[in-house]
Amino acid sequence: MGRDPHYDLTGRVALVTGASSGLGAGFAKALAAAGAKVVLAARRADKLAEQVAAIEAAGGQAIAVSMDVTDETSTKAAYDAAEAAFGTVDTIVANAGVATEKTALGLSVDDVDYLHAANVRGVFLTATEGARRLEAAGSREKEHGRVVIIGSITAEKIFPATSVYGATKAAARHLGKALAREWARRGISVNVIQPGYFESEMTADLFGSEAGAKFVATFPRQRMRPASDLHAPLLLLCSDAARGITGAVITVDDGQTL
Ligand SMILES: NC(=O)c1ccc[n+]([C@@H]2O[C@H](COP(=O)([O-])OP(=O)(O)OC[C@H]3O[C@@H](n4cnc5c(N)ncnc54)[C@H](OP(=O)(O)O)[C@@H]3O)[C@@H](O)[C@H]2O)c1
């Protein structure tokens, strides 16, 4: 039996930033299980190697590349390494991001720059470097380019201690829609997934605490869902079935913004 066409990524080459942990590691596994060759990108080589080994053990194809999304030279080198291994990257998941647990009056100017560097400049560099290479590889004719930006529900609703983080995620969402418009006739779709709160390294301290349990009790469904809730929307957006979807923002939050 063949794979479901909505989720079949056989022949695709996907690059996932921030694939060394959390949501990104799960995205890489899901893309590999759907048939894509996957490039796992981040700064921590040891963590990336663990994720690649897990994908290979499950029968998937993956490599790790060192990439600092805030750095243009590092980003270009990561795409070079990806191409050398698997060919042109046609599926780009701009997932790498950082957060702080500080309220606005506790944020330093350095904190503000740190959040913007990964969450806005990083998404910009990851998407534009990939788009240049995709166009050179014929995306206008093949219409095979896919960019998925991982935003956050904090771009929509004000949650505690997310002022600048949420602002960077609103910027990333805006960037996604603008790139979708600019690249509409270049054969590259750009969409945004806005996750709600899920457990990861980023949120481990919060959800390991009593305050975290109280916070979960404020959610409409008073529960945490597994990050695998994000996989079906991601695979759909990356697949041929989504060739008519660009500039969309899909929120996956178990109702947390309601
Ligand atoms: N967990 C949630 O509840 C939640 C909710 C909404 C949105 N999100 C978003 O989902 C994305 C993934 O977050 P997560 O929860 O999975 O957090 P996480 O476990 O802390 O993962 C963040 C990833 O980003 C990478 N990263 C950070 N800075 C980087 C840089 N300069 N260059 C390259 N990679 C970098 C990290 O890898 P290295 O340190 O190895 O480089 C790590 O793999 C983020 O964009 C986050 O804002 C998360």
Side-chain angles (χ1 to χ4, degrees), residues 17-25 27 41-48 66-71 74 94-99 114 117-119 122-123 150-154 165 168-169 193-204 207 224 227 230 252 256:
T17 66
S20 57
S21 65
L23 307 188
F27 294 152
R43 296 165 302 178
R44 288 172 297 172
D46 54 335
K47 296 270 181 193
L48 286 174
S66 170
M67 178 170 173
D68 179 346
V69 297
T70 69
D71 185 272
S74 171
N95 162 79
V98 295
Y114 163 76
N119 299 355
V123 169
I150 305 303
S152 163
I153 54 169
T154 58
Y165 172 77
T168 65
K169 290 299 185 176
I193 293 179
Q194 294 193 146
Y197 284 88
F198 290 99
E199 282 182 23
S200 71
E201 282 186 20
M202 186 179 275
T203 56
F207 292 115
M224 292 288 283
L230 298 160
V252 183
Q256 291 165 15

Side-chain angles (χ1 to χ4, degrees), residues 14 22 24 31 77 84 94 104 142-143 147 203 217 223:
L31 290 161
K142 296 188 211 160
E143 293 195 18
V147 178
T203 56
R223 66 184 186 186

